[in-house]
Amino acid sequence: MSVRRRLVIGNWKMNGSKAENEQLLSDLVKLQNAAAANQAAELAVCAPFPYLQQVADILKDSAISWGGQDVSEHAKGAYTGEVSVAMLAEFGCAWAIVGHSERRAYHGEGSDVVARKAAAAIAGGITPVVCVGETQAEREAGKTLQVISSQLEPVLALGADAVTKMVLAYEPVWAIGTGLTASPEQAQEVHAHIRSLLVQADAPEQRVLYGGSVKAANAASLFAKEDIDGALVGGASLVATDFQGIANA
Ligand code: PGA
């Protein structure tokens, strides 16, 4: 019997403003307090870097944790525009998303860089949320599991000590922000594959989140699948009731 606690992480991407964040977070805290007694899921938000202090101030006494949407592979130095794990830790971050498909597609991040970022996060005491996922073309070519394996290869090669400090997220690129969700069966097939790789890596109980147009309406059927341990949520994480609805699912 698995003891993996469900985890729902909001990825705000490049959205928000001080006023909007204030509203969203205070609504979330209220909803969370109301739901706390009967909700088993752990909740987190990953905000744009400039707002981390604001997020920390509002969430510090809540059960909701927070994180960054990326982290540098480097500890410090001449890396203009980058943010280090020590900086994230100073703002109380528990999480750093690494290898999101938008970083891979728009910033040319390959799986080796993603693995180094995951290692840097772990070294700094922050849990990396390592994202993998195939494109529509890769799925149509029957290459989904092969793509997932190769994206995870350098990450799992970090060894069991590292992998047991990670969360993985399966996010089919064709489902992100498109309103198309993988069916629970399609998602479970990939999650089971990832689980088998985790078993080989000696980290069988790591949580594997699903991401890609998760909404309150489709969350329960995804979470019912054996190897789906929660969700990484973009669009729906920007509306407090939608996000809390996913956590309640
Ligand atoms: P979406 O984004 O929920 O808006 O599809 C998910 C993600 O990119 O993490």
Side-chain angles (χ1 to χ4, degrees):
M1 189 55 202
S2 157
V3 291
R4 297 189 299 271
R5 188 174 175 207
R6 296 243 190 283
L7 170 64
V8 176
I9 302 182
N11 171 15
W12 290 0
K13 309 191 179 185
M14 199 171 73
N15 292 292
S17 66
K18 284 205 237 179
E20 286 169 359
N21 306 342
E22 162 97 48
Q23 185 70 50
L24 174 59
L25 292 168
S26 54
D27 287 350
L28 263 186
V29 169
K30 273 186 228 142
L31 289 168
Q32 181 66 14
N33 288 341
N38 52 19
Q39 186 197 282
E42 190 179 345
L43 215 57
V45 295
C46 290
F49 297 133
Y51 298 128
L52 288 172
Q53 183 65 57
Q54 181 191 23
V55 173
D57 288 342
I58 299 175
L59 296 183
K60 65 179 185 303
D61 297 320
S62 80
I64 307 169
S65 57
W66 60 92
Q69 296 172 11
D70 187 27
V71 67
S72 176
E73 65 181 282
H74 304 290
K76 68 185 291 189
Y79 301 103
T80 302
E82 296 280 281
V83 169
S84 74
V85 62
M87 295 172 188
L88 292 183
E90 269 206 302
F91 289 87
C93 289
W95 315 95
I97 298 172
V98 299
H100 190 279
S101 64
E102 287 149 19
R103 303 281 328 163
R104 292 179 190 260
Y106 309 144
H107 301 273
E109 293 184 10
S111 298
D112 291 323
V113 174
V114 173
R116 291 198 295 273
K117 289 183 170 199
I122 291 165
I126 285 182
T127 303
V129 180
V130 181
C131 303
V132 295
E134 82 289 2
T135 62
Q136 178 78 50
E138 288 163 341
R139 173 162 284 269
E140 280 165 8
K143 292 194 176 139
T144 299
L145 300 185
Q146 196 183 316
V147 167
I148 301 300
S149 295
S150 84
Q151 289 176 338
L152 280 177
E153 192 181 298
V155 175
L156 299 177
L158 295 171
D161 269 0
V163 180
T164 51
K165 298 188 176 88
M166 296 177 187
V167 166
L168 304 185
Y170 167 55
E171 299 204 302
V173 176
W174 49 272
I176 293 177
T178 56
L180 296 171
T181 318
S183 69
E185 293 68 31
Q186 282 175 320
Q188 170 59 24
E189 183 196 11
V190 178
H191 280 242
H193 176 67
I194 295 173
R195 182 76 55 208
S196 74
L197 297 174
L198 284 169
V199 169
Q200 284 168 34
D202 234 354
E205 286 302 313
Q206 292 321 107
R207 289 181 287 188
V208 185
L209 311 183
Y210 169 79
S213 300
V214 177
K215 314 249 173 307
N218 59 26
S221 60
L222 288 160
F223 295 169
K225 292 294 176 189
E226 186 181 345
D227 293 300
I228 301 180
D229 304 315
L232 184 56
V233 185
S237 74
L238 300 172
V239 180
T241 47
D242 290 355
F243 191 51
Q244 184 64 42
I246 294 169
N248 289 341

